[in-house]
Amino acid sequence: MAPGLETKSIVSYLPERTYFNSWMKVSDCLDYFQDFYADFDRTRAEAMLADLGVPTDRKLKTLSKGTKEKVQLVMVMARNAKLYLLDEPIAGVDPAAREYILNTIVSNYRETATVIVSTHLIADIESIIDSYVFIKDGNIIECRDIDELKSAGVESLDAYFREVFKYV
């Protein structure tokens, strides 16, 4: 099936780059998602923003890169989607922000949903994932449960990733 309205109604996607216009206020982002997605939970989004201390009357261009990424993540995670696709959600942010972002992901997706995180920062996400997929040149080269990997004697997915993708 080609992506379309039905796909957009069940998939919540976080791209690697910010897609909101810099002139927008955080409240504009809330309005946009509320108008565009029937499954957007504005109350939940506002609570997450308040938890972060992000004022909704601020323009995005006045926020730090990390805060802009948090705003975008909040919008995506406040949807009641069936599938969350998160492309490099922790790249380019400081370690404290990474921890908050990962906590936001883990504590805000629907239990019946699937979360796919695309990242090269394996060590940072290793503790929260159930399974992994390694992709090289657009092809899946390995897909396993973390428990299966550990049963095979591999102690760290990060170390295993480095071994699989080491340059010769």
Side-chain angles (χ1 to χ4, degrees), residues 2-148:
L5 290 178
E6 185 178 337
T7 310
K8 291 177 184 176
S9 72
I10 62 172
V11 176
S12 193
Y13 173 60
L14 177 70
E16 184 177 4
R17 293 187 178 103
T18 302
Y19 57 86
F20 292 124
N21 291 313
S22 62
W23 55 261
M24 294 175 82
K25 292 181 180 178
V26 176
S27 61
D28 295 328
C29 298
L30 289 163
D31 293 342
Y32 177 81
F33 262 62
Q34 187 170 7
D35 288 347
F36 201 79
Y37 299 106
D39 65 352
F40 181 66
D41 185 339
R42 186 179 185 125
T43 303
R44 189 166 78 185
E46 288 172 341
M48 285 189 274
L49 290 167
D51 184 43
L52 279 171
V54 178
T56 57
D57 63 344
R58 298 267 311 269
K59 288 188 177 188
L60 294 176
K61 66 182 173 186
T62 68
L63 303 175
S64 70
K65 180 183 180 191
T67 302
K68 287 178 199 172
E69 290 183 12
K70 289 176 191 175
V71 168
Q72 192 165 277
L73 177 67
V74 165
M75 298 301 128
V76 169
M77 296 309 296
R79 289 191 53 208
N80 293 310
K82 292 183 180 179
L83 174 64
Y84 297 88
L85 293 175
L86 311 176
D87 188 8
E88 296 289 355
I90 56 174
V93 295
D94 64 77
R98 284 181 191 168
E99 187 175 325
Y100 178 82
I101 288 168
L102 292 174
N103 186 45
T104 299
I105 293 167
V106 169
S107 53
N108 286 288
Y109 75 94
R110 290 179 42 199
E111 290 293 321
T112 57
T114 300
V115 179
I116 298 176
V117 177
S118 170
T119 187
H120 294 91
L121 302 171
I122 308 299
D124 290 320
I125 67 160
E126 191 167 348
S127 66
I128 66 162
I129 61 174
D130 298 321
S131 56
Y132 68 92
V133 177
F134 288 165
I135 300 174
K136 183 175 185 177
D137 301 325
N139 298 306
I140 295 175
I141 60 169
E142 189 169 319
C143 178
R144 281 208 236 175
D145 251 13
I146 292 295
D147 292 340
E148 184 183 334

Side-chain angles (χ1 to χ4, degrees), residues 149-162:
L149 187 69
K150 302 274 182 186
S151 294
V154 176
E155 292 184 30
S156 161
L157 179 61
D158 184 55
Y160 183 64
F161 172 81
R162 291 169 192 271

